[in-house]
Amino acid sequence: MRLGIDVGRARTVAVAARADGAPVARAAVDSVPGLAGCLRSVLTALGPLPEPPRSVAVVTELGRRPFDANPVAVLRIAPPSHPALAPARGPVRLTGRVAGGASVTGTPLAALDGEAVLAFARRAADEGVSAFAICAAGAPARPAPERAAAAAVAQLLPRAMLCLSHEIGSPGLRERENATVANAALGAWADGLVADTTRALAAHGITAPLYFARDDGGVVCAEYFRGHPVIATAPAAGTAARGAVLRTGIRRALVLDAAADAVRCVPVIDGEPERAEPGPGPFGLRMDLGGPRTTVLPYGSGGFDPAAAAALADRERERLPDAEVVWTGGAAPASGAESGGDAALFAARADCGVEVEQIVVATGRAELEALLDTACGHALSRAVAAGAAPGSVRVDRMTHAPVSYLPAGVHRVRIRATGLPSSGQTP
C-alpha cells in the first residue's frame, strides 16, 4: 500500500492505495498555516490503515512553507561574454567567471583554470556563502568541466552545496544557469521541508520512504529532492491533471483545476500534460524545466466564477477543439471526494522518474545509436538515484532531433526514465 498526500492552500487530502492502484482510505481536512500542521491533521483524520504504507508521496508548493533563500555564488566556466549575458541576480550574492567550458557541440574551448576556481571558492567562503551554482558553457554535451570545478570546491569546502547545471537545466545557457541558481537557493527550503514532513509522519508511526511530487509529474525520493528542489516547487496543477486523466480515462483533455485561489487550465494530449515553454520560475528567473503548460485564472473578490472559467475553457479549446473539459480540485463544479482527491491519488500511484536532456554529436547512424544507448543508461541510473527500484526502471519516452542551427550530426536528446518507488513495489 502507498500513501499520497496533497497539501493545498484550502484543503489537505490523503489517499491510501493498494499496489494495483485501488484506493482503500481517504481523508480531507481544511488546511492550516504550516505544512506540519496540515500533515498531522489529515493523518489523524485518515486514522489507522490496514497495513503500514510502503512509501509516502507528498504534493506541496513552494509557498506552503516560509523560507529564507540561500545566498548563492555563481561560477560560470566559459569565455568572456557581453555584460547583457551576465548571470541574473535573484538570490545571487557573488559571481565569478573562469576559463574553460566547451562549445555547444562539446568541443573544448579552453582548459579549466583550477586556480581561479579555488580563488573563487575562497572568496565565497570569506563572504559566508556555501551554496554554489556551477555552470559551464557546453555542459549538456561535455559536463567534465563542471564536475572538475565541483571537485575542487568540495575539497576546499566539504560542506558546500554544489549544484551543477548539466544535472538540472536545459541546453540553453541562461535558462540552465538560472535553474541552477534557483536550485542552490532552495537548499534550506528543501532541507526544512523534508525535516518537517519526516517528523509529522513519524509522530503517526509512519517511517516509510518519503517522496515528493515533481512539477512535471512523477515523484522523487526525499534525498534526491534535497539535491534538486527546483524541479518540485509547483507540482499541484500537473499532479492534479494527471490524476484527473487517471480517474476519467480521458487522454485528450483540458483539465481545469479549481484550487483555492484560481482555476488552472492544463492541456493534456495523449495522456500527457502539454510541456510549457521557457518562462519565469522561482525568484522570477527564466528557466525551462519541463513543467506543464498552465493558464491561470485568478479568482476575483467573489471567488470562483463559473462563467469566467467557461470562457477560459473556450479560449483554450481554440487550440484543441476536440479536447474534453475535465474538472478537478476542491472548488470544481459538483466536486466530490473523487475530483477533490485527484492529486493525492495520483501521488499515491505515481512512478518515480527523471527527465534528462543533453546534446550528442554523431557522424553517422551507428554512432548516434550508440550514444543514445549511453544516454538511456545514464537516465536509468539517474532514475535509480531518484528513488526508483533498480529492477523496475525503464525508458518510457525518448525524443531526439537535429539542432537546425548547428552542423549535421548534432542532436538534442530528451529522455524520461521511470520506475516504481523503491519501497512501493508489489510484494
Side-chain angles (χ1 to χ4, degrees), residues 9 34-35 60-72 90-91 181-194 196 225 229-230 232-234 281-284:
R9 293 184 181 276
L35 176 83
T60 187
E61 303 260 291
L62 180 62
R64 289 294 300 149
R65 186 183 188 280
F67 70 98
D68 292 322
N70 292 339
V72 179
V181 167
N183 196 74
L186 292 171
W189 169 71
D191 289 344
L193 185 58
V194 171
D196 286 353
F225 166 72
V230 74
T233 63
F283 311 106

Side-chain angles (χ1 to χ4, degrees), residues 71-89:
V72 179
V74 183
L75 178 63
R76 182 182 288 184
I77 306 170
S81 60
H82 191 277
L85 296 178
R89 297 310 302 172

Side-chain angles (χ1 to χ4, degrees), residues 63-163:
R64 289 294 300 149
R65 186 183 188 280
F67 70 98
D68 292 322
N70 292 339
V72 179
V74 183
L75 178 63
R76 182 182 288 184
I77 306 170
S81 60
H82 191 277
L85 296 178
R89 297 310 302 172
V92 174
R93 175 73 60 82
L94 73 159
T95 63
R97 186 199 63 81
V98 301
S103 68
V104 175
T105 62
T107 303
L109 298 174
L112 177 67
D113 188 341
E115 287 301 318
V117 171
L118 292 175
F120 180 75
R122 294 188 190 99
R123 181 177 150 212
D126 290 343
E127 296 197 24
V129 180
S130 60
F132 289 78
I134 300 176
C135 182
R142 187 171 180 269
E146 289 188 353
R147 293 172 178 154
V153 175
Q155 187 173 9
L156 183 67
L157 305 172
R159 294 182 177 275
M161 180 180 185
L162 304 174
C163 301

Side-chain angles (χ1 to χ4, degrees), residues 322-389:
D322 56 343
E324 296 187 51
V325 173
V326 176
W327 283 95
T328 186
S335 67
E338 288 188 344
S339 64
D342 284 338
L345 179 59
F346 183 79
R349 299 177 55 171
D351 283 340
C352 180
V354 297
E355 187 168 280
V356 174
E357 287 192 58
Q358 65 183 86
I359 300 294
V360 300
V361 183
T363 56
R365 186 68 190 180
E367 185 179 9
L368 176 61
E369 292 293 342
L371 290 171
L372 293 177
D373 285 345
T374 299
C376 287
H378 173 61
L380 293 171
S381 297
R382 285 280 296 276
V384 172

Side-chain angles (χ1 to χ4, degrees), residues 167-229:
E167 296 181 349
I168 297 169
S170 59
L173 176 64
R174 289 302 300 274
E175 288 84 0
R176 176 163 46 91
E177 186 174 67
N178 288 345
T180 311
V181 167
N183 196 74
L186 292 171
W189 169 71
D191 289 344
L193 185 58
V194 171
D196 286 353
T197 305
T198 301
R199 283 194 294 267
L201 294 173
H204 285 264
I206 299 174
T207 58
L210 175 61
Y211 291 78
F212 289 91
R214 294 174 53 115
D215 294 355
D216 61 353
V219 297
V220 292
C221 67
E223 191 59 31
Y224 191 88
F225 166 72
R226 290 178 65 216
H228 306 80

